[in-house]
């Protein structure tokens, strides 16, 4: 007994030792107040409550999704209903603490007030008001549309968070439709804030809570099949209906369309790194959606105890359909598929693996295939025997790849590296090492497909055909409203963003009026890249015949929009660079934006290649074309990459000395020391998670035997200029390890008498690209090009 008490006290002391001090929490609050955009509602809440940021040292840190089958303390969830129910209750409590706020108990309906009733041809439409709560002061308006039925027939139900909702469609498909006032245009949840002052449930959770009252009303209707109740919602309403289903277990199915973050898109895989909305932008632009405490996790998503996969787990084992558009700027298909894969473990544990579905369609945000959604629901509710097939656009699985590629390595041929020693003792020793390093880098990127050299006299069919399909989104198109629209089947993403413009897309005035562009094609069918379309932007008043230095913009993990950006208030890098007098080539990386469809079958077709290798080949093809472009100075071509793009830029420049220099922003953390316990995703993020370099995964658990790392990549670029921008608060990097890698590579630059050409900037920020950081980068670029 004494031993147990001593053990407990030791653990308690360790926990306390790891705790943040009050000053550290205050300092973090001051950093937020100084560096993040001001949000009036949040400032008022913080001032009123005096609440400090969480003690992050008391929270687990991981850039990977929290495991739904592990308790918060790390214990595995055992088999049996009691274990899962305990985990489910824990997840609900965590959501209430960090995301939704707390909920009052569901009250009984005090009164059903009939507002009107219309008898239509084959149906009855009824508007009612449901009164409930303290002194009957709560109410929600409901519209129910009931098909005429024979005898005691009961109908399945679809609930919508608006009175009209999907009424027209579901009536035709044999469902009762129930709409309630639970959206922006008609929000009967708003008064609940004052009606229940002891509970802090936020706007979307309040609307979700009302769904319970609606279901209680449905139980009074004899035509309703209470076992077959579904709820649908799109965008912010999609977030809301997932919360509603988590609260109300009588909801048997959820149709969640393009929910974005806070719904089916994980916070960890979104935000600035994903080129879309995240905690900072959501809590700033829509501060009432979730509780104010969530904003403390801006840039610290890795500490958030919950995420989208756990919200989906709260609905299990009931049915969920997740819908998204390929170029949907709010959704992130890759991130949603990761949430799906995570929660699928729960459905399998509960023996209901066919209850969760995916529906991906063409178009931007607003594309919504309601008929297909009801097709899926028909299958779930036994109205159809047609089998639903989930299509995964990003079906990558490292273990599956390894089984069919039969790739192996002999680890005895890869000695452990001593990163405490210099890369080389002399310039001569480095010169001897370089060829083998370059071979290792090329091997890691995989085996490029054979290239058929162009034959003299052949017509470049692909080039002319594609140019006709996609005209350049130049300055003349800015302001036109007919370039792209939600639901279009063949979207031109850059043109659509430019035509929409505005601060949400960082494509803003006056800078956007000062740039023009033309579309170029590089890497046609007979070259290493297989054909890519890009846009070359440059200042509008560039004199004819003038040669400009060229920047190639390499975007991050921007799955929906590729090289464009959404929910970004700072100026787009393309416009910032063009404003500074540079020509800028921008294009979507393979598997992103307009090229989303290149990911699905990539490794089926090229099992010994890699997607990062494909990106490097594309980039080198871009350099081929720029070497002969009328506006480009071939001696001044450099790359400017953010997150994934920063990684790509370093690889490409190491292999191609025509690239004059590199800007890499939050582009890496050294792989040999990127072990799982650090919580930064681990080295296997490139192989197992993103599927960018599969061969890297062959070294999992043996990271110190990797034949090269980012210090070697930087050294291979010497003496060309390299700027490493490593934000101090970047959750995807170990800052000391990045510093050490730059210092190690610096020795080679010194050998090459270019010690000042490798520079490390460390903004006190997380991995954002703010105007202030961007201005400092461009100043460095001007000094070096």
């Amino acid at each position: 007994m004494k031993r147990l008490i001593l053990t407990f006290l030791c653990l308690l002391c360790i926990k306390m030792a790891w705790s943040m001090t009050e000053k550290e929490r205050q300092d973090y609050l001051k950093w937020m107040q100084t560096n993040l955009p001001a949000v009036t509602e949040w400032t008022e809440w913080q001032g009123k409550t005096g609440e400090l940021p969480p003690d992050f040292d008391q929270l687990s840190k991981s850039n990977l999704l929290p495991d739904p089958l592990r308790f918060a303390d790390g214990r595995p969830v055992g088999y049996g209903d009691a274990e899962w129910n305990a985990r489910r209750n824990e997840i609900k409590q965590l959501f209430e603490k960090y995301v939704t706020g707390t909920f009052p108990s569901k009250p009984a309906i005090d009164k059903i007030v009939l507002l009107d009733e219309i008898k239509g041809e084959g149906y009855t439409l009824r508007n009612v008001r449901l009164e409930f709560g303290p002194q009957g002061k709560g109410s929600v308006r409901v519209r129910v549309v009931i098909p005429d039925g024979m005898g005691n027939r009961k109908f399945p139900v679809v609930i919508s968070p608006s009175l009209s909702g999907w009424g027209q469609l579901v009536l035709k498909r044999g469902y009762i439709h129930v709409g309630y006032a639970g959206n922006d245009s008609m929000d009967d949840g708003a008064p609940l804030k004052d009606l229940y002052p002891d509970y802090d449930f936020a706007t979307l959770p309040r609307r979700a809570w009302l769904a319970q009252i609606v279901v209680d009303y449905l139980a009074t209707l004899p035509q309703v099949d209470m076992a077959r109740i579904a709820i649908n919602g799109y965008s912010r309403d999609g977030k809301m209906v997932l919360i509603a289903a988590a609260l109300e277990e009588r909801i048997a199915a959820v149709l969640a369309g393009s929910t974005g973050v806070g719904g089916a898109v994980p916070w960890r895989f979104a935000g600035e790194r994903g080129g879309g909305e995240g905690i900072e932008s959501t809590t700033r632009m829509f501060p009432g959606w979730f509780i104010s405490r969530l904003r403390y996790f801006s840039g610290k998503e890795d500490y958030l105890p919950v995420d989208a996969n756990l919200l989906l787990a709260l609905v299990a084992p009931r049915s969920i359909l997740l819908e998204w558009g390929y170029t949907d700027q709010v959704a992130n298909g890759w991130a949603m598929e990761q949430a799906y894969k995570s929660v699928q473990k729960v459905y399998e544990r509960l023996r209901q693996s066919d209850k969760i579905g995916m529906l991906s369609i063409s178009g931007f945000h607003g594309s919504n295939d309601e008929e297909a959604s009801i097709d899926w629901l028909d299958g779930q509710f036994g109205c159809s025997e047609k089998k639903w097939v989930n299509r995964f656009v990003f079906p990558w699985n490292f273990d599956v790849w390894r089984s069919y590629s039969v790739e192996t390595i002999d680890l005895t041929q890869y000695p452990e590296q001593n990163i405490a020693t210099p890369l080389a003792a002399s310039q001569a020793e480095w010169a001897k090492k370089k060829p083998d390093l370059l071979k290792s880098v090329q091997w890691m990127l995989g085996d490029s497909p054979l290239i058929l050299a162009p034959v003299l006299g052949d017509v470049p069919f692909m080039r002319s055909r594609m140019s006709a399909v996609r005209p350049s989104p130049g300055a003349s198109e800015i302001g036109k409203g007919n370039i792209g629209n939600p639901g279009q089947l063949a979207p031109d993403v850059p043109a659509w963003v430019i035509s929409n413009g505005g601060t949400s897309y960082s494509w803003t005035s006056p800078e956007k009026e000062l740039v023009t562009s033309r579309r170029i094609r590089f890497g046609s069918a007979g070259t290493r890249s297989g054909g890519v379309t890009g846009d070359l932007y440059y200042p509008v008043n560039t004199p004819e015949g003038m040669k400009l230095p060229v920047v190639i913009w390499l975007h991050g993990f921007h799955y929906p929009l590729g090289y464009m950006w959404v929910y970004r208030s700072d100026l787009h890098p393309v416009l910032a660079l063009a404003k500074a007098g540079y020509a800028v080539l921008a294009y979507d990386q393979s598997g992103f934006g307009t090229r989303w469809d290149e990911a699905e079958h990539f490794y089926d077709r090229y099992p010994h290649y890699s997607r990062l290798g494909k990106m490097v080949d594309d980039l080198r093809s871009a350099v081929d074309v720029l070497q002969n472009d009328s506006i480009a100075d071939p001696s001044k071509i450099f790359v400017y990459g953010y997150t994934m793009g920063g990684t790509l830029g370093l690889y490409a420049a190491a292999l191609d000395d025509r690239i004059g220099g590199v800007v890499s922003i939050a582009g890496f953390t050294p792989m040999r020391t990127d072990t799982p316990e650090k919580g930064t995703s681990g080295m296997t993020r490139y192989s197992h998670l993103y599927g960018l370099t599969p061969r890297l995964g062959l070294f999992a658990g043996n990271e110190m035997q990797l034949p090269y790392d980012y210090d070697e990549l930087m050294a291979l670029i010497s003496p060309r200029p390299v700027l490493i921008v490593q934000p101090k608060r970047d959750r995807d990097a170990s800052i000391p390890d990045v510093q050490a890698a730059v210092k190690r590579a610096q020795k080679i630059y010194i050998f090459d008498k270019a010690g000042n050409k490798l520079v490390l900037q460390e903004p006190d920020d997380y991995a954002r690209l703010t105007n202030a950081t961007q201005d400092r980068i461009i100043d460095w670029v001007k000094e070096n090009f």
Side-chain angles (χ1 to χ4, degrees):
M1 186 65 180
K2 287 182 179 179
R3 182 175 296 176
L4 288 174
I5 293 172
L6 287 172
T7 302
F8 172 78
L9 290 173
C10 288
L11 290 172
L12 182 62
C13 290
I14 292 171
K15 197 78 170 175
M16 291 175 65
W18 285 343
S19 297
M20 294 175 70
T21 65
E22 183 172 336
K23 184 179 183 305
E24 288 173 326
R25 295 166 71 188
Q26 289 174 339
D27 287 345
Y28 180 67
L29 173 62
K30 290 177 182 177
W31 177 85
M32 288 182 64
Q33 293 168 333
T34 302
N35 292 277
L36 298 186
V39 179
T40 301
E41 295 87 344
W42 185 85
T43 302
E44 291 175 352
W45 167 82
Q46 201 284 324
K48 180 180 178 181
T49 64
E51 183 172 321
L52 291 176
D55 182 350
F56 292 108
D57 288 347
Q58 292 289 297
L59 300 174
S60 297
K61 169 184 168 63
S62 177
N63 275 326
L64 302 177
L65 295 178
D67 190 339
L69 294 178
R70 283 192 178 275
F71 289 98
D73 63 5
R75 289 181 297 118
V77 175
Y79 286 86
D81 291 345
E83 281 281 286
W84 172 244
N85 288 336
R87 173 57 170 153
R88 188 177 186 278
N89 287 333
E90 180 183 62
I91 294 171
K92 286 183 71 174
Q93 291 169 9
L94 290 170
F95 265 100
E96 289 189 14
K97 182 175 182 178
Y98 294 108
V99 182
T100 64
T102 54
F103 298 93
S105 298
K106 175 176 65 71
I109 298 174
D110 296 323
K111 191 176 182 180
I112 301 173
V113 180
L114 178 63
L115 301 177
D116 60 50
E117 184 171 294
I118 300 171
K119 179 61 181 170
E121 186 173 342
Y123 66 90
T124 299
L125 184 151
R126 184 180 303 143
N127 286 301
V128 301
R129 184 177 67 248
L130 309 179
E131 297 179 356
F132 59 87
Q135 294 89 47
K137 291 183 178 180
S139 68
V140 57
R141 288 162 287 180
V142 176
R143 176 179 297 167
V144 58
V145 183
I146 306 172
D148 292 346
M150 299 293 291
N152 296 321
R153 180 183 176 186
K154 291 183 179 292
F155 295 91
V157 178
V158 172
I159 302 173
S160 298
S162 67
L163 296 186
S164 55
W166 284 10
Q168 183 66 42
L169 169 64
V170 303
L171 182 65
K172 293 189 298 184
R173 300 289 293 265
Y175 288 76
I176 291 174
H177 181 262
V178 179
Y180 75 99
N183 63 26
D184 285 359
S185 60
M186 188 178 285
D187 184 8
D188 284 349
L192 298 177
K193 181 179 181 181
D194 297 325
L195 195 62
Y196 294 98
D198 295 333
Y199 301 89
D200 62 346
F201 51 154
T203 299
L204 296 183
R206 287 196 296 269
R207 297 172 186 172
W209 183 86
L210 281 177
Q212 302 172 102
I213 311 295
V214 175
V215 175
D216 276 355
Y217 169 64
L218 292 177
T220 70
L221 302 179
Q223 301 92 335
V224 168
D225 183 345
M226 290 298 293
R228 296 191 294 171
I229 297 174
I231 190 168
N232 80 85
Y234 191 89
S235 193
R236 65 194 66 180
D237 294 338
K239 311 177 202 288
M240 186 276 286
V241 298
L242 283 170
I243 299 170
L247 291 172
E248 177 50 81
E249 296 185 46
R250 291 173 295 176
I251 294 174
V254 186
L255 306 166
S258 186
T259 68
V261 290
V265 174
W267 300 106
R268 282 168 169 79
F269 296 147
E272 291 85 348
R273 300 184 73 89
E277 62 179 347
I279 289 181
E280 193 286 313
S281 62
T282 299
T283 57
R284 167 170 43 88
M285 298 173 69
F286 310 104
W289 281 3
F290 305 105
I291 59 173
S292 297
R293 188 175 297 117
L294 180 62
R295 187 163 176 79
Y296 281 131
F297 292 87
S298 299
K300 286 184 170 288
E301 293 83 356
D302 50 336
Y303 286 100
L304 187 64
V306 294
D307 217 321
N309 62 322
L310 298 191
L311 179 58
L312 300 178
L314 289 177
V315 182
R318 291 164 289 144
S319 303
I320 305 175
L321 178 67
L322 305 176
E323 182 194 32
W324 57 280
Y326 300 129
T327 50
D328 183 335
Q329 69 273 25
V330 171
N332 178 322
W334 176 83
M336 289 177 69
E337 290 189 7
Q338 305 315 304
Y340 175 100
K341 292 174 185 176
S342 173
V343 77
Q344 183 68 14
K345 296 186 298 183
V346 177
Y347 277 85
E348 290 172 357
R349 172 75 67 89
L350 300 175
R351 297 183 177 86
Q352 298 290 345
S353 58
D354 61 344
K355 289 291 186 73
I356 183 166
M358 296 287 288
L359 173 59
S360 52
I361 61 176
S362 296
F364 297 102
H365 192 60
S367 305
N368 190 8
D369 194 335
E370 298 171 3
E371 290 278 12
S373 298
I374 299 300
D375 290 343
W376 173 84
L377 188 60
D378 280 347
Q380 296 297 312
F381 282 176
C383 303
S384 170
E385 294 182 358
K386 186 176 181 181
K387 184 174 177 58
W388 182 271
V389 178
N390 290 321
R391 177 192 179 185
F392 294 96
V393 178
F394 305 97
W396 169 251
N397 182 293
F398 175 81
D399 293 326
V400 172
W401 166 81
R402 192 170 185 178
S403 67
Y404 66 72
S405 69
V406 201
E407 289 264 6
T408 59
I409 56 170
D410 180 359
L411 283 169
T412 64
Q413 300 301 307
Y414 296 90
E416 282 201 11
Q417 301 295 313
N418 184 355
I419 60 176
T421 61
L423 290 175
S426 65
Q427 192 172 34
E429 182 184 344
W430 176 247
K432 290 180 181 178
K433 293 178 70 173
K434 279 181 68 173
D436 286 340
L437 282 170
L438 288 169
K439 287 179 183 177
S440 293
V441 173
Q442 191 61 68
W443 172 82
M444 193 70 76
L445 294 176
D447 307 333
S448 297
L450 294 175
I451 302 167
L452 178 64
V455 178
L456 186 64
D458 277 1
V459 178
F461 171 72
M462 287 295 293
R463 182 189 301 260
S464 60
R465 181 170 69 89
M466 290 303 294
S467 295
V469 170
R470 295 185 63 200
S472 172
S476 62
E477 295 172 325
I478 295 169
K480 293 183 180 179
N482 60 349
I483 303 172
N485 61 83
Q488 69 182 71
L489 297 180
D492 185 327
V493 173
W496 183 84
V497 170
I498 290 172
S499 66
N500 281 273
T503 55
S504 291
Y505 296 91
S506 71
W507 205 267
T508 54
S509 297
E511 289 82 5
K512 69 178 183 179
E513 282 82 19
L514 302 178
V515 65
T516 188
S517 72
R518 54 182 165 84
R519 188 145 280 169
I520 65 172
R521 182 80 172 166
F522 52 92
S524 60
T527 67
R528 63 170 71 91
S529 73
V532 181
T533 300
D535 298 307
L536 186 63
Y537 295 88
Y538 50 93
V540 291
N541 295 322
T542 302
E544 188 175 351
M546 183 177 183
K547 295 281 188 176
L548 297 176
V550 182
V551 183
I552 303 177
W553 160 240
L554 305 173
H555 64 75
F557 293 98
H558 301 187
Y559 283 93
L561 294 185
Y563 80 76
M564 284 298 184
W565 216 317
V566 69
Y567 293 107
R568 172 178 167 80
S569 56
D570 295 283
L571 190 63
H572 196 290
V574 167
L575 296 183
L577 288 160
K579 180 182 178 181
Y582 294 92
V584 185
L585 175 62
Y587 62 95
D588 295 347
Q589 299 301 327
S590 179
F592 295 83
T594 54
R595 300 173 66 191
W596 60 266
D597 59 341
E598 294 181 21
E600 183 175 0
H601 300 294
F602 185 88
Y603 288 107
D604 298 328
R605 294 163 177 163
Y606 309 107
H608 305 292
Y609 197 18
S610 76
R611 288 183 57 207
L612 184 60
K614 165 68 171 163
M615 293 176 191
V616 169
D617 284 344
D618 287 348
L619 179 49
R620 297 177 72 182
S621 290
V623 174
D624 291 343
V625 170
L626 291 173
Q627 291 279 311
N628 299 298
D629 190 89
S630 62
I631 205 171
D633 182 342
S635 67
K636 294 182 178 181
I637 298 172
F638 69 100
V639 295
Y640 182 114
Y642 174 65
T643 62
M644 182 190 74
T647 304
L648 167 60
L650 292 170
Y651 270 91
L655 295 171
D656 193 335
D657 59 12
R658 297 174 303 167
I659 296 173
V662 181
V663 174
S664 177
I665 306 155
F668 71 92
T669 195
M671 296 180 288
R672 291 178 181 133
T673 53
D674 189 14
T675 49
E677 61 270 15
K678 286 193 174 180
T680 52
S681 300
M683 173 209 66
T684 55
R685 72 181 82 179
Y686 300 106
S687 54
H688 291 56
L689 181 60
Y690 294 112
L692 294 178
T693 46
R695 285 176 175 170
L696 196 63
L698 302 175
F699 292 87
N702 299 282
E703 288 84 358
M704 293 304 294
Q705 292 177 255
L706 280 167
Y708 70 90
D709 207 335
Y710 287 98
D711 45 5
E712 281 98 343
L713 286 175
M714 288 183 282
L716 287 169
I717 301 170
S718 178
R720 289 165 287 157
V722 172
L723 173 63
I724 303 298
V725 181
Q726 181 51 68
K728 293 179 180 179
R729 300 173 186 268
D730 182 4
R731 63 185 171 91
D732 275 74
S734 167
I735 309 309
D737 291 352
V738 173
Q739 293 167 339
V742 172
K743 186 176 181 180
R744 202 164 181 236
Q746 193 87 48
K747 300 288 187 181
I748 306 303
Y749 272 80
I750 291 171
F751 289 153
D752 290 338
K753 296 182 172 56
N756 64 336
K757 293 298 183 181
L758 175 58
V759 175
L760 173 63
Q761 291 183 1
E762 297 180 80
D764 186 16
D765 209 338
Y766 61 93
R768 298 185 297 164
L769 181 52
T770 63
N771 284 334
T773 297
Q774 193 156 250
D775 289 344
R776 287 191 293 271
I777 292 170
I778 291 176
D779 287 343
W780 179 88
V781 170
K782 288 178 178 178
E783 291 175 4
N784 287 275
F785 295 93

